[in-house]
Amino acid sequence: MTENSVMKTETSPSLISKIFDGLVSAFNAGGSAWIFCIMLLLGADVLGRFLFNSPIDGVPLLVELSILMIVFLQLPAAIRSGRLTRSDILLARLLDQQRSLGVFLHSLYDALGIFLMVVVFYYTVPSFEKVWRRNTYEGLEGDFSLPSWPFKLLILVGAAFCCVQFGRSLWSGLRELRVLHGANAFEGGKITRVAIGVALFAAIVFGLGRLTDISDAGIGVVSIIFVLIFVYVGVHVGVALSLISFVCVLAVRDNLDIAGHLLALSIGESMQEYEFGVIPLFVLMGLLVSVSGIGRDTYDVANHIFRKFKGGLGTATVGANAVFAAVTGTSIASASVFTKVAVPEMLRLGYRPRFSVGVVAGSSVLGMLIPPSLLLIIFGILAEVSIGDLFIAGIIPGLVLTLAYCVLIWFLANRFPDKVGSAEALNNKREAMMSGLEAAQKSLPIILLIGLVLGGIYGGVFTATEAGGIGALGALILTWFKGALTRESLWQALSETGHVTAAICFLLVSAHIYSRMIAITGIPNIMEAYIEASGLGLAGLLAIYIIAIVLMGTILDAGSIMLITVPLAVPALQPFGIDLVWFGIITIIAVEIGLLTPPLGLACFVIHNNLQDDRIKIEDVFWGALPFAITMLIVLLIVVAFPDLATFLVY
Amino acid sequence: KEIEVTVIAAPPPAVTFVGTFKDRVSVKINERLKAEGHNLQIKWNHAYSQTIAKFPEVFEAVEEGIGGAGLILKNFEPSNLPLEAYSVYMPFFDATRSQLDLIDRSLRKKIPELNQAYAKHNQVFIVSGVNDSMHLFSKFPVKKFEDLKGRKLGSSGSFGQWLRGTGAISVNSSMNQSYTNIKNGVYEGYPIGQILAFVYKTWSAAKNFTEINFGVSNVSAITFNTNTWKSLPSYAHKIIREEADHWVKYQNAADDKKRGKFIGIMKKGGVKFTKLSDSEKDKWAKAMPNIAKEWAQMLDKKGQPGTKLVNAFMGELRSRNIKFTRDWDK
Ligand code: NA
Ligand code: NA
């Protein structure tokens, strides 16, 4: 994702364009305000339940529905500020060196975005009509319910706004092409050749698809190649996954309506989950911790403690992440909190950008290995294993991974110091920078915050998902105490939260759409039959399983991978008498490697999106995370070789 | 000839109503097609465990043709299938699963609106599945009705109705969150059957099982997308319907097999099994507001046969001599 929409036009904007900008900003503000409301509502619900035994009706439903509102209120603004996730590898270089070709491709991708939004709009219309006509509601009548139509209407308006926003970007791209090539925008020889090439490519693919009798599963397999190409050339990742899924479903079912409805249904409904609803709150918590200066203080203390170690701040980040993992259930939360807290401090103290983001990306995976963990819960339900056992089993491997990261950082700092940081950042065995008392004072707020969240979860006051809301509220109060809470800083944090949430949820939803397309092609059933017929032994099956997960992890999100693979693998492996708790931990580690690998590495995207720093490109995050991904693979093999690491505490 | 039908369901095959369709009903249909000499096999694309649609999406996904057929959970569709919750709103009856299966079929003949709701959503209703009876797993022992007072209990959707008037506080949740939330003390118990409590691990956080018998529920169903259904020949319709009629029987058999094993594991794991006496159950039912009446009147206002359905269900219980605790229609 880049700020490479460099084609800002010099001419003053027209009135219509000003009005539209105002609308997009108003939508954006609505989303920000709503995030704030959800935080307060969750806090009130938890307090009401805990103190007065009277939870507030409807809060869970509102949280569930809120993510849809936030995404569609803020997506247009996120597109406007160029924050939809995309790869820069090719596009940025083209924009820099072969301007007109770069602009042409940029415009082409905007056109794809328009097409996607038109499809979403077109297929949400009947669904809006339906809920309007039938008076459909969300929730339970007599208990707490809301009419469904406003939510569908919001999707319609949001999709229309996104469409216009992509359109404006396309328009300014075309204008620049005109300027570059005189009156006829398409005279540029290279552009013509590329345009003809793209058209030919599309025609050949279409023709091959029509002529050869490709099977459904074949379509699914081919789609993977297209995802890789699309993402590499710089199409927005979410747009690429959604559109490729759309075309593949169309090819499999030969029915435009089904393909369109799958897109509209997934975008409209698959986000409606309580767990999704708290994502913005975890993001907000991270932003507030950074706004308040609590993050800076924590790193001063950490730097003080680890000042004698080479690369000590990296080690401190890993350690802090391991502690924070005991608070959060998702790695997205860890990644966004520590991007705001750790990366600026590491950069300030002279660490290299790639290393800094790499440490945060790598250690964010601890969030879902050390309990509580959303992924372990999903595994427990899919595989019928005790979630409590899984949680306990995650502790030692989580600590092993923490330790492995520390060893890695020590190794990198000694062997490749220039890749880690400047000489003074690494070698300066500094004097104590603060007194013990000062260190205690500076670390008090973060200890209070962790105490609030951990104490709340394990004291039974609130759930691990509600912890996002309470944590954000706690961070808000601490920010206020520290005198850093101004109206502007709060507003900025809220609007920033909205942008990150919109971009990340758009990615998550498109990954869902893609995995649904894969299920429609029947690939999971074929795999199941193949495994049954292959007669492979345990080692072979396990190897295939891990390789498959790591490969799927490049394109799919963690939840989708487990939904596809676990129900296939467990019945195939059970006859070998494997321990399912151990198997669960293996699965989680393997799945989490995908958080760090391109083209779709969610942890890296979250970091890049939260950072908004021109010096750090998404490729840098992926490169920085690579050593950590490799370390994960090694730890995975260690846990495979020594099942006791997982099962020791359980049995 | 092969016709592909994608079947979608939100739970994994480990949940009985999904597993029995996958391993029994769908297989038997193809066996019958073959045995009767038809040149047709249905290529089932089993898409379960939320791979195509999440819990609240399944119904709509079948409506739009994303799935050719669905194993739906009616409790996620209060708005689209308002009448289907009848057994939840008239709790405390002793019917077996096969008895409710028969009642459900009979009600559909008397009250056509039940099946029309599916037609309105571009679907053909085939048959209801019936779940095990629901009981209570809790952290605290329940010997008498008063033990519930002031306790926080989790529940999802309309099942929360059972806690009204008991003095217990209903915390909105779902079965798959029950383990974590009980463990962490967000609430102290969850109304759930033994098998689901095993699948969702509720038991390992709440070690007191109280047999209450809220009643079995017709919570699942097999439906077909209307277009998919029409693409199948009429002999296939007949075979599918006939084979689907055994679904509840398969569910019953599969659960009977699991239940003993699961209860054994739970007992070993320290779960105490007790039964709430009839007199205490009576107190419970009497303390509740008449939730069936409220529900029926709300439906009547919308032009749905709510009262008619309540009367018909209670009539079925009486005519079949099935014991129940409260006359919900009076
Ligand atoms: Na965690
Ligand atoms: Na990845």
Side-chain angles (χ1 to χ4, degrees):
Chain A
M1 187 216 61
T2 56
E3 196 68 51
N4 55 17
S5 47
V6 209
M7 331 149 193
K8 300 230 165 77
T9 40
E10 302 299 319
T11 47
S12 62
S14 69
L15 180 67
I16 296 175
S17 142
K18 270 190 203 154
I19 292 175
F20 183 76
D21 264 331
L23 278 175
V24 169
S25 302
F27 255 53
N28 187 37
S32 304
W34 184 245
I35 294 171
F36 192 72
C37 289
I38 282 295
M39 179 182 71
L40 294 183
L41 276 172
L42 255 179
D45 184 38
V46 166
L47 272 185
R49 187 179 65 214
F50 183 67
L51 293 180
F52 312 109
N53 258 352
S54 60
I56 301 172
D57 276 349
V59 170
L61 180 66
L62 281 173
V63 172
E64 227 175 86
L65 292 168
S66 69
I67 195 73
L68 188 80
M69 297 173 57
I70 293 165
V71 168
F72 276 92
L73 286 169
Q74 308 240 4
L75 201 54
I79 295 174
R80 180 171 66 185
S81 49
R83 300 199 50 174
L84 284 198
T85 309
R86 67 157 34 137
S87 155
D88 270 351
I89 308 169
L90 186 71
L91 195 59
R93 210 175 53 216
L94 283 181
L95 281 170
D96 206 33
Q97 291 161 8
Q98 305 207 25
R99 182 73 194 172
S100 62
L101 188 57
V103 174
F104 172 75
L105 286 180
H106 194 282
S107 304
L108 191 65
Y109 306 156
D110 285 334
L112 289 179
I114 294 176
F115 179 70
L116 174 66
M117 289 302 161
V118 168
V119 173
V120 171
F121 186 91
Y122 183 80
Y123 283 98
T124 306
V125 170
S127 145
F128 171 74
E129 268 173 8
K130 210 165 59 191
V131 298
W132 173 266
R133 217 176 43 239
R134 292 175 187 161
N135 275 323
T136 313
Y137 53 85
E138 308 287 329
L140 200 64
E141 202 161 23
D143 185 20
F144 184 90
S145 65
L146 294 165
S148 305
W149 67 264
F151 297 97
K152 296 286 180 196
L153 183 63
L154 181 64
I155 298 177
L156 285 177
V157 178
F161 276 23
C162 290
C163 203
V164 175
Q165 204 57 66
F166 276 126
R168 295 171 86 193
S169 173
L170 172 66
W171 178 242
S172 64
L174 292 179
R175 285 229 310 226
E176 187 179 341
L177 281 182
R178 250 174 93 99
V179 173
L180 287 170
H181 295 286
N184 189 345
F186 295 101
E187 249 172 13
K190 205 165 257 156
I191 293 182
T192 318
R193 282 203 294 277
V194 170
I196 292 172
V198 170
L200 261 178
F201 179 65
I204 290 171
V205 169
F206 184 78
L208 278 179
R210 283 274 151 189
L211 293 176
T212 60
D213 195 18
I214 187 168
S215 68
D216 293 354
I219 292 172
V221 172
V222 170
S223 75
I224 296 169
I225 300 164
F226 281 89
V227 169
L228 294 176
I229 296 174
F230 273 47
V231 170
Y232 174 76
V233 298
V235 184
H236 300 108
V237 179
V239 174
L241 285 170
S242 309
L243 279 184
I244 289 169
S245 312
F246 173 76
V247 173
C248 289
V249 173
L250 182 60
V252 169
R253 289 292 180 80
D254 212 9
N255 182 325
L256 194 63
D257 285 348
I258 290 177
H261 283 305
L262 178 72
L263 220 60
L265 181 72
S266 306
I267 285 183
E269 312 251 330
S270 75
M271 270 189 281
Q272 275 186 32
E273 241 180 282
Y274 193 81
E275 279 71 18
F276 273 44
V278 293
I279 289 178
L281 299 171
F282 277 113
V283 176
L284 180 62
M285 174 176 164
L287 288 169
L288 287 172
V289 164
S290 110
V291 166
S292 61
I294 295 174
R296 198 187 183 103
D297 287 350
T298 309
Y299 271 79
D300 284 342
V301 175
N303 195 26
H304 167 74
I305 295 172
F306 288 96
R307 65 189 181 279
K308 297 255 160 67
F309 296 88
K310 233 182 184 182
L313 210 49
T315 314
T317 306
V318 172
N321 240 311
V323 175
F324 188 74
V327 175
T328 178
T330 74
S331 293
I332 292 179
S334 298
S336 52
V337 168
F338 280 86
T339 305
K340 285 295 176 189
V341 169
V343 176
E345 303 307 311
M346 291 180 74
L347 294 181
R348 182 170 64 92
L349 293 165
Y351 283 80
R352 301 266 180 264
R354 275 193 184 179
F355 178 76
S356 308
V357 288
V359 170
V360 172
S363 52
S364 73
V365 305
L366 294 170
M368 288 198 283
L369 186 54
I370 294 174
S373 157
L374 213 56
L375 287 185
L376 284 172
I377 292 176
I378 297 177
F379 182 88
I381 289 162
L382 288 174
E384 294 192 64
V385 191
S386 156
I387 295 162
D389 289 352
L390 285 168
F391 276 10
I392 295 169
I395 295 175
I396 293 185
L399 294 177
V400 169
L401 186 59
T402 308
L403 192 69
Y405 281 165
C406 293
V407 171
L408 171 72
I409 290 168
W410 174 84
F411 172 77
L412 290 176
N414 281 293
R415 281 300 295 274
F416 308 102
D418 52 319
K419 298 255 183 239
V420 172
S422 64
E424 63 266 34
L426 296 181
N427 292 331
N428 209 354
K429 304 225 161 145
R430 274 167 285 210
E431 295 303 302
M433 289 168 289
M434 55 184 84
S435 66
L437 181 68
E438 201 185 341
Q441 268 175 349
K442 281 194 164 185
S443 49
L444 184 66
I446 193 84
I447 291 172
L448 279 177
L449 194 59
I450 289 177
L452 170 74
V453 174
L454 276 185
I457 293 177
Y458 290 101
V461 184
F462 44 77
T463 64
T465 33
E466 288 168 337
I470 306 300
L473 209 53
L476 185 77
I477 293 169
L478 285 172
T479 312
W480 178 67
F481 258 110
K482 297 201 67 172
L485 190 70
T486 60
R487 199 151 12 129
E488 292 79 49
S489 66
L490 176 62
W491 191 247
Q492 179 146 28
L494 287 169
S495 135
E496 184 68 23
T497 303
H499 284 174
V500 174
T501 310
I504 295 304
C505 287
F506 182 54
L507 274 179
L508 274 173
V509 168
S510 51
H512 270 141
I513 296 174
Y514 187 76
S515 74
R516 287 168 179 205
M517 180 274 289
I518 292 287
I520 286 177
T521 64
I523 288 180
N525 282 298
I526 293 172
M527 275 165 56
E528 188 177 1
Y530 172 76
I531 291 170
E532 261 170 37
S534 70
L536 278 171
L538 177 60
L541 284 179
L542 214 55
I544 290 181
Y545 177 74
I546 289 172
I547 293 169
I549 286 187
V550 172
L551 287 181
M552 288 167 89
T554 59
I555 325 186
L556 292 177
D557 71 294
S560 299
I561 299 171
M562 296 212 327
L563 293 178
I564 294 174
T565 54
V566 174
L568 295 179
V570 169
L573 290 170
Q574 231 159 8
F576 296 100
I578 61 158
D579 186 281
L580 283 180
V581 171
W582 165 70
F583 185 62
I585 301 300
I586 291 176
T587 305
I588 302 297
I589 302 176
V591 159
E592 286 207 285
I593 292 175
L595 289 170
L596 305 181
T597 55
L600 190 110
L602 218 48
C604 297
F605 287 155
V606 169
I607 289 168
H608 186 246
N609 222 321
N610 264 304
L611 211 53
Q612 284 300 295
D613 184 330
D614 286 342
R615 286 171 297 175
I616 300 177
K617 303 215 172 300
I618 182 70
E619 287 73 42
D620 295 319
V621 187
F622 282 125
W623 278 117
L626 183 65
F628 293 88
I630 294 170
T631 309
M632 282 182 85
L633 199 58
I634 294 168
V635 169
L636 172 63
L637 295 178
I638 292 175
V639 178
V640 170
F642 303 100
D644 275 350
L645 289 173
T647 54
F648 176 71
L649 288 180
V650 182
Y651 307 113
Chain B
K1 200 181 138 201
E2 242 188 6
I3 295 182
E4 177 160 337
V5 176
T6 297
V7 193
I8 43 189
V15 171
T16 313
F17 81 93
V18 180
T20 47
F21 180 85
K22 181 176 184 243
D23 298 335
R24 306 297 298 272
V25 179
S26 71
V27 176
K28 289 270 179 187
I29 290 170
N30 274 337
E31 282 175 11
R32 275 278 302 278
L33 284 167
K34 199 169 173 194
E36 293 180 14
H38 300 294
N39 180 28
L40 174 75
Q41 286 284 290
I42 297 176
K43 189 179 165 202
W44 300 103
N45 178 15
H46 299 286
Y48 307 139
S49 324
Q50 308 194 62
T51 48
I52 290 188
K54 292 187 180 176
F55 283 90
E57 294 176 285
V58 177
F59 190 71
E60 209 181 330
V62 179
E63 176 177 2
E64 306 292 8
I66 295 163
L71 310 176
I72 65 155
L73 277 169
K74 301 165 182 173
N75 52 326
F76 283 92
E77 304 300 335
S79 186
N80 294 324
L81 302 174
L83 295 170
E84 293 283 4
Y86 65 85
S87 67
V88 177
Y89 282 92
M90 290 176 267
F92 301 114
F93 60 91
D94 281 354
T96 63
R97 291 163 91 165
S98 4
Q99 279 173 322
L100 184 62
D101 186 21
L102 294 175
I103 292 175
D104 192 73
R105 288 157 201 265
S106 157
L107 287 176
R108 278 166 208 284
K109 290 198 187 102
K110 292 178 187 158
I111 300 174
E113 285 88 344
L114 277 164
N115 286 1
Q116 281 163 9
Y118 294 85
K120 259 193 219 163
H121 289 85
N122 196 32
Q123 288 174 61
V124 178
F125 173 88
I126 306 296
V127 70
S128 287
V130 182
N131 257 10
D132 241 1
S133 187
M134 304 269 268
H135 308 284
L136 181 71
F137 276 85
S138 56
K139 266 184 168 169
F140 55 92
V142 180
K143 298 246 157 49
K144 47 190 198 316
F145 168 63
E146 286 78 12
D147 291 341
L148 294 168
K149 208 173 153 119
R151 299 292 192 167
K152 281 183 282 226
L153 297 176
S155 69
S156 64
S158 39
F159 296 108
Q161 298 287 332
W162 297 342
L163 303 177
R164 288 176 58 197
T166 61
I169 296 117
S170 151
V171 179
N172 200 333
S173 181
S174 62
M175 282 181 187
N176 55 0
Q177 292 170 347
S178 58
Y179 166 81
T180 324
N181 286 344
I182 294 174
K183 190 102 192 164
N184 292 339
V186 174
Y187 45 79
E188 304 157 275
Y190 204 95
I192 191 171
Q194 294 110 315
I195 289 171
L196 286 170
F198 188 84
V199 172
Y200 290 109
K201 326 294 167 209
T202 319
W203 70 276
S204 57
K207 304 264 175 172
N208 292 280
F209 171 82
T210 312
E211 189 182 324
I212 293 174
N213 218 0
F214 288 107
V216 293
S217 55
N218 59 329
V219 71
S220 52
I222 301 174
T223 74
F224 270 75
N225 172 278
T226 307
N227 306 340
T228 308
W229 186 251
K230 282 184 186 153
S231 75
L232 296 166
S234 58
Y235 60 80
H237 292 169
K238 183 167 168 281
I239 290 176
I240 290 171
R241 285 199 184 277
E242 282 171 11
E243 289 306 319
D245 278 350
H246 299 301
W247 195 30
V248 171
K249 194 180 74 194
Y250 297 143
Q251 292 177 9
N252 219 348
D255 278 353
D256 281 347
K257 223 158 124 198
K258 287 183 198 166
R259 199 180 300 106
K261 188 180 127 199
F262 290 172
I263 289 178
I265 296 174
M266 291 192 242
K267 276 193 171 144
K268 245 204 216 149
V271 177
K272 285 189 211 67
F273 284 78
T274 52
K275 191 175 172 191
L276 195 67
S277 71
D278 284 351
S279 59
E280 292 301 318
K281 231 165 92 173
D282 208 44
K283 270 199 254 167
W284 185 328
K286 298 259 158 65
M288 287 167 71
N290 191 332
I291 54 171
K293 265 227 161 99
E294 283 178 17
W295 178 69
Q297 281 163 4
M298 181 193 81
L299 289 168
D300 290 347
K301 259 190 234 147
K302 292 185 155 180
Q304 294 275 359
T307 304
K308 197 177 153 202
L309 179 54
V310 168
N311 293 338
F313 179 70
M314 294 308 292
E316 291 281 349
L317 291 181
R318 290 189 190 103
S319 70
R320 290 165 199 269
N321 288 321
I322 294 166
K323 223 176 97 194
F324 53 88
T325 311
R326 180 166 170 178
D327 295 289
W328 294 107
D329 52 347
K330 288 185 183 144

